[in-house]
Amino acid sequence: MSFPKYANIIIDISHEKVDRLFQYRIPDRLLGQVEIGCSVDVPFGRGNTKRKGYVIELSDETNWDEDKIKEIISLSEGIDTAEDISIKLAAWMKRYYGSTMIAALKTVVPTYKKQKRQVHKFVSLRLPEREAIDAYNESVRKKQKARERILKELLENPSERIPYGLITSKLGVSAVTLKSMADTGMIRIEEEEYYRNPVAATSDRYKDKVLSPEQQNIVDTVKRDYDEGKRDTYLIHGITGSGKTEVYIALIDDMIKRGKQAIVLIPEIALTYQTLMRFYRHFGDRVSVMNSSLSPGEKYDQMERARSGDIDIIIGPRSALFTPFPNTGIIIIDEEHESTYKSENSPKYHARETAIYLSGLLPDGAAVVLGSATPSLESYYRALNGEYHLFELNRRLTGGTLPRVEMADLREELRCGNRSIFSRRLQELMNEKLSKGEQAMLFINRRGLAGFISCRSCGHVFKCPHCDVSLSEHRGGRLVCHYCGHEEIRPKVCPKCGSKYVSSFRAGTEQIEDEVKKFWPSARVLRMDADTTRTKGSYDSILSAFSNKEADVLVGTQMIVKGHDFPDVTLVGILAADMSLYASDFRASERTFQLLTQAAGRAGRGSKEGNVVIQSYDPEHYSIQTAARQDFKAFYEEEIAYRDLLRYPPISHMMCVQIQSKDEDAGMKYASRFRAMMEGKRVEGAIFIGPALAPIARINDVYRMAIYVKHDDYDKLVMLKDALEGYVKELEQMGELKGVVTQFDFDPMHG
């Protein structure tokens, strides 16, 4: 068996330098031992200084003069550093999910460019008191008013340092005067670096809550396992309001006492504010946050705070998993069922599997805790099969019961002459709750004014000219594509038949907001969707205003129904329950059940009884029926039977080979060649589907095709991926794949 002779190596894995590769020869004694992801000692620079490097690629060929290529000295020995762990994780992601090593490494290494540190400046008296008095008297005599003011202030507070900004603003002393006084030895100007902290300080400290027996059992079990050296994965299936966050806090408390750090993942930025405040009120400034709304300086400082041990807990979306803590002891993934934990960019990693693998790379290992009221079928299936340790929390901490859920059949509403967005029962409950001063949330899984615009005469739907999706109507007569951002003015007549009967399916968040104001003019309404949360701090300000009862009704998309806790919300209206039910996606029923259950769980979280109205055109569907009963197990049994029948995840694994091309015919041609190549490998048990156009066939003028391969053995799919990568590389070297991009998605979240 022949082994690659050369290794492409990086010396510095800071994000800006990961593309700088240096090629080394692999000595005969190390052939077969040098692998992608391992660390090696190499001679570097003119002086051949021994440096540690990391193997990114292996090759049989070189573009350099053979005599000028240096040789690897040896494999590195010693304890794995944070950099070693990052490289090994990136190598695993490249192999497990399919991507280049550089792309995987850029995902794992925090992409926060070095920023200039912030400083606090202070001014203090440098002269002995007697000399300072003489200097003050001289400034009075010479009418040097600025020097007089500052010397007077410093003489009155000789042992204190006065903030520089206070002197320049309140005393009106210029920076030039201060520098002159410092240069002559009268005063001392000191600078202290500090970290930017995106968390607003609060004195509202969190009161420790006594855990229920069920909660305490979870904490005790995880602690006992950790004491015994077990580093397991735990799934907490807890109904909405059952106190999963209290369990997380208790577990983190224990880890901090052990000298460990904690990573808490949340599915999206909208959940940051409430989650952060709960942790901050308990742990104070030892907790910080990482998300896309932070400035580059804030992001950089949070990474530095983590490295230096200035914080113990980081909270953020999936990228927070790569926080460079020196001693991570626990990784918590809240709302673990959410699809946002799966990256849409290569490598298309899932935070759950990546966290579990990372926990095994850490020097002492880490416990991984998954939590959800509606676990993903993958996690629940693995828990039932013994891969994860399953815990159940079946009662609300308040002692209250789950909300009362009612169905509203929109077909019957229409037959009875009700053409409004709101069913008659929802209108009754809105009147009742608002009259009592209680709050309501109205949820629909769509933003803008309308789902789509169409001609009522010929049925023509207005679509984006660059993507295979319909345009949504927004205020001002704008039609907007939510994929590429294309905008156009809504036409007055149909371009296909000339009819003036152009109208919209009005079921967007803006339309609902307008309708609420018409039905209940005195109600104060807030809207929360991707359009109202574009600016920094907008999430927090909307949620804070609603929490402080500055509004009666919150209208929104998915982001309002996930994880939020508002004690005065006693009514949730789900306006179009089946909008996500018939998507061309094998997970559509699961996603619908999760959304409805999570939405219903927002009602009645305080001491008052909660009501939920689910409006649907298909109220008999099992996902809607089981969501109304908050019966996860019944839904799981029904859904897993369909997955078993069709060999979909989690029963079987699935790889999607995605082909993108601006030329549809060329893309489909190569997709067919790729399928033929993989079939030629004759992998027993593999099921091939396609190639076919993806559910959204075109985005931004790029056509998208897909081949699906199902197999019970994940490693067999990885083997097929490896073979296809080699085939693609051959075609690229021959110049046959111009304009064609190939990507891999294992156990995809969509399609």
Side-chain angles (χ1 to χ4, degrees):
M1 181 178 179
S2 62
F3 296 102
K5 298 178 182 177
Y6 304 98
N8 291 331
I9 291 169
I10 55 171
I11 306 300
D12 184 347
I13 69 165
S14 65
H15 182 262
E16 299 85 4
K17 299 180 181 179
V18 294
D19 286 326
R20 295 192 60 188
L21 301 181
F22 300 90
Q23 193 168 71
Y24 287 83
R25 185 188 305 108
I26 303 172
D28 291 343
R29 70 181 186 282
L30 295 179
L31 287 174
Q33 298 181 54
V34 175
E35 299 176 340
I36 291 176
C38 73
S39 58
V40 292
D41 293 324
V42 295
F44 187 74
R46 291 183 178 179
N48 287 326
T49 304
K50 183 178 176 181
R51 293 279 298 275
K52 187 176 185 178
Y54 302 93
V55 179
I56 302 303
E57 298 170 346
L58 297 174
S59 175
D60 280 319
E61 300 177 357
T62 179
N63 297 322
W64 302 90
D65 184 341
E66 175 73 23
D67 295 333
K68 293 183 179 179
I69 297 180
K70 298 176 184 179
E71 194 171 83
I72 293 172
I73 298 171
S74 63
L75 296 173
S76 295
E77 297 181 355
I79 299 172
D80 283 350
T81 64
E83 288 78 12
D84 291 310
I85 292 170
S86 293
I87 292 288
K88 289 179 179 179
L89 183 61
W92 173 82
M93 290 171 69
K94 173 197 179 298
R95 168 80 172 154
Y96 198 80
Y97 294 109
S99 78
T100 65
M101 184 63 179
I102 295 296
L105 194 56
K106 286 187 174 182
T107 300
V108 170
V109 178
T111 60
Y112 313 117
K113 292 184 179 180
K114 189 171 184 177
Q115 301 287 321
K116 185 177 179 181
R117 289 291 299 275
Q118 298 289 91
V119 295
H120 285 308
K121 295 170 76 173
F122 299 92
V123 176
S124 59
L125 195 61
R126 191 170 186 177
L127 292 173
E129 186 177 3
R130 184 64 258 171
E131 292 180 32
I133 292 172
D134 292 341
Y136 170 75
N137 291 331
E138 185 178 355
S139 66
V140 171
R141 184 174 59 81
K142 291 183 176 180
K143 296 184 179 180
Q144 296 171 328
K145 297 295 184 181
R147 291 195 178 199
E148 176 187 335
R149 287 194 298 272
I150 187 171
L151 286 170
K152 182 175 183 292
E153 187 72 25
L154 290 171
L155 281 166
E156 290 176 356
N157 304 278
S159 61
E160 292 185 14
R161 297 187 310 164
I162 301 175
Y164 188 93
L166 188 65
I167 291 174
T168 56
S169 60
K170 299 295 184 183
L171 298 181
V173 180
S174 70
V176 174
T177 299
L178 288 170
K179 184 177 184 305
S180 173
M181 294 177 72
D183 290 344
T184 57
M186 290 185 183
I187 63 173
R188 182 184 294 108
I189 299 176
E190 299 171 282
E191 292 186 353
E192 288 183 1
E193 291 187 342
Y194 70 94
Y195 290 116
R196 302 165 182 89
N197 189 349
V199 185
T202 175
S203 58
D204 184 14
R205 299 295 291 171
Y206 186 92
K207 294 181 180 178
D208 287 345
K209 294 185 178 179
V210 177
L211 299 182
S212 69
E214 293 82 5
Q215 291 173 310
Q216 192 63 54
N217 175 55
I218 298 173
V219 175
D220 291 344
T221 302
V222 176
K223 288 167 64 175
R224 183 174 61 250
D225 286 352
Y226 204 91
D227 288 337
E228 294 174 358
K230 297 178 184 176
R231 302 294 184 264
D232 282 350
T233 300
Y234 307 88
L235 173 62
I236 304 175
H237 174 212
I239 63 171
T240 53
S242 59
K244 293 183 289 293
T245 302
E246 308 303 326
V247 175
Y248 302 156
I249 288 173
L251 289 171
I252 293 172
D253 231 348
D254 176 69
M255 288 297 165
I256 291 175
K257 290 173 183 173
R258 298 172 188 263
K260 304 287 185 180
Q261 293 88 41
I263 296 171
V264 180
L265 301 188
I266 53 178
E268 58 183 271
I269 190 175
L271 293 178
T272 303
Y273 175 73
Q274 276 202 338
T275 306
L276 178 60
M277 284 302 101
R278 290 180 193 175
F279 282 85
Y280 191 83
R281 287 169 185 155
H282 186 93
F283 296 104
D285 58 9
R286 302 299 297 175
V287 59
S288 192
V289 63
M290 177 60 65
N291 60 46
S292 59
S293 73
L294 302 187
S295 69
E298 287 173 331
K299 290 178 181 177
Y300 177 77
D301 277 7
Q302 302 330 296
M303 291 296 101
E304 291 304 302
R305 293 178 75 195
R307 283 193 186 94
S308 66
D310 189 62
I311 54 175
D312 297 314
I313 307 161
I314 196 82
I315 298 173
R318 64 173 184 266
S319 59
L321 180 62
F322 309 116
T323 301
F325 275 134
N327 204 3
T328 303
I330 190 168
I331 302 170
I332 293 169
I333 305 181
D334 192 29
E335 307 292 351
E336 68 84 28
H337 63 277
E338 287 289 349
S339 61
T340 50
Y341 285 125
K342 181 75 180 288
S343 172
E344 292 297 314
N345 301 314
S346 183
K348 299 191 175 188
Y349 72 95
H350 197 294
R352 179 182 57 232
E353 274 70 45
T354 307
I356 293 170
Y357 188 80
L358 172 61
S359 71
L361 292 177
L362 297 169
D364 294 328
V368 178
V369 178
L370 315 173
S372 176
T374 55
S376 62
L377 260 70
E378 281 87 349
S379 292
Y380 200 72
Y381 179 80
R382 290 168 190 164
L384 293 182
N385 288 336
E387 291 182 54
Y388 302 164
H389 192 134
L390 177 63
F391 297 106
E392 304 271 1
L393 293 174
N394 296 316
R395 64 186 184 91
R396 284 192 156 180
L397 275 182
T398 57
T401 58
L402 289 170
R404 181 186 175 193
V405 182
E406 301 174 63
M407 290 283 201
D409 188 336
L410 294 179
R411 299 167 299 184
E412 182 62 28
E413 293 291 320
L414 198 59
R415 282 194 287 268
C416 293
N418 180 16
R419 298 182 181 275
S420 78
I421 292 174
F422 311 114
S423 63
R424 290 165 296 172
R425 180 56 177 156
L426 182 55
Q427 292 177 41
E428 291 173 11
L429 287 169
M430 284 285 287
N431 289 329
E432 176 190 329
K433 303 297 184 182
L434 292 176
S435 68
K436 293 180 179 178
E438 297 170 2
Q439 293 177 296
M441 297 172 72
L442 299 176
F443 160 64
I444 188 167
N445 192 18
R446 184 176 296 276
R447 72 179 193 264
L449 278 169
F452 57 87
I453 309 295
S454 65
C455 173
R456 295 309 190 218
S457 295
C458 70
H460 171 72
V461 174
F462 291 83
K463 289 190 171 185
C464 174
H466 310 290
C467 308
D468 191 22
V469 296
S470 59
L471 296 169
S472 293
E473 184 183 15
H474 288 244
R475 281 200 172 93
R478 295 179 302 125
L479 301 185
V480 180
C481 173
H482 290 162
Y483 280 84
C484 72
H486 168 81
E487 288 191 22
E488 60 185 62
I489 299 298
R490 171 178 166 166
K492 294 181 179 178
V493 298
C494 174
K496 191 172 182 181
C497 72
S499 169
K500 63 180 181 180
Y501 297 108
V502 173
S503 60
S504 58
F505 172 73
R506 290 187 170 271
T509 46
E510 291 182 52
Q511 174 67 15
I512 294 167
E513 181 185 18
D514 292 342
E515 290 297 304
V516 171
K517 291 175 179 177
K518 288 178 186 176
F519 273 77
W520 299 279
S522 61
R524 299 165 299 169
V525 186
L526 282 171
R527 175 165 59 90
M528 189 172 186
D529 55 27
D531 295 322
T532 62
T533 54
R534 294 186 189 279
T535 58
K536 182 176 178 179
S538 53
Y539 289 93
D540 297 353
S541 61
I542 294 173
L543 292 172
S544 181
F546 191 62
S547 180
N548 293 332
K549 298 202 70 175
E550 295 170 24
D552 306 301
V553 182
L554 178 61
V555 175
T557 53
Q558 295 183 30
M559 61 181 68
I560 73 169
V561 302
K562 300 174 182 177
H564 303 305
D565 192 351
F566 302 111
D568 287 305
V569 171
T570 56
L571 174 62
V572 171
I574 301 169
L575 303 183
D578 36 16
M579 188 170 279
S580 59
L581 193 55
Y582 294 110
S584 54
D585 181 354
F586 73 90
R587 299 182 191 271
S589 294
E590 179 182 9
R591 194 163 290 119
T592 299
F593 172 83
Q594 289 165 344
L595 275 174
L596 299 188
T597 304
Q598 294 283 340
R602 298 313 107 200
R605 295 176 74 91
S607 57
K608 302 169 187 173
E609 182 183 1
N611 292 84
V612 178
V613 177
I614 298 178
Q615 300 184 168
S616 172
Y617 286 101
D618 189 4
E620 294 87 10
H621 194 280
Y622 68 91
S623 67
I624 295 176
Q625 287 284 334
T626 51
R629 300 196 305 269
Q630 303 272 287
D631 191 344
F632 172 79
K633 291 179 181 177
F635 169 77
Y636 174 84
E637 293 299 332
E638 183 105 17
E639 180 68 15
I640 203 72
Y642 288 115
R643 301 281 182 94
D644 192 11
L645 185 67
L646 298 171
R647 309 308 295 171
Y648 277 120
I651 301 299
S652 191
H653 291 287
M654 185 162 72
M655 176 177 69
C656 175
V657 183
Q658 299 174 336
I659 298 95
Q660 300 177 14
S661 173
K662 289 193 173 183
D663 185 326
E664 182 179 2
D665 292 337
M668 193 60 75
K669 168 190 170 185
Y670 283 108
S672 298
R673 287 180 66 176
F674 294 159
R675 169 168 174 163
M677 189 285 299
M678 289 190 292
E679 283 185 314
K681 294 296 177 181
R682 301 188 182 280
V683 178
E684 186 177 350
I687 301 171
F688 293 86
I689 303 170
L693 289 172
I696 299 176
R698 185 171 55 125
I699 293 180
N700 213 8
D701 291 326
V702 175
Y703 290 91
R704 306 159 76 239
M705 302 86 185
I707 307 166
Y708 295 96
V709 189
K710 299 177 187 176
H711 203 286
D712 292 348
D713 188 341
Y714 192 101
D715 289 337
K716 293 288 178 64
L717 293 179
V718 172
M719 184 195 75
L720 280 173
K721 181 267 299 179
D722 291 344
L724 185 56
E725 281 182 330
Y727 182 57
V728 167
K729 193 170 184 179
E730 289 177 16
L731 293 179
E732 285 176 339
Q733 289 172 346
M734 292 187 290
E736 290 193 35
L737 278 185
K738 291 181 180 178
V740 178
V741 175
T742 308
Q743 290 186 338
F744 302 93
D745 193 359
F746 287 82
D747 291 343
M749 298 304 294
H750 304 281

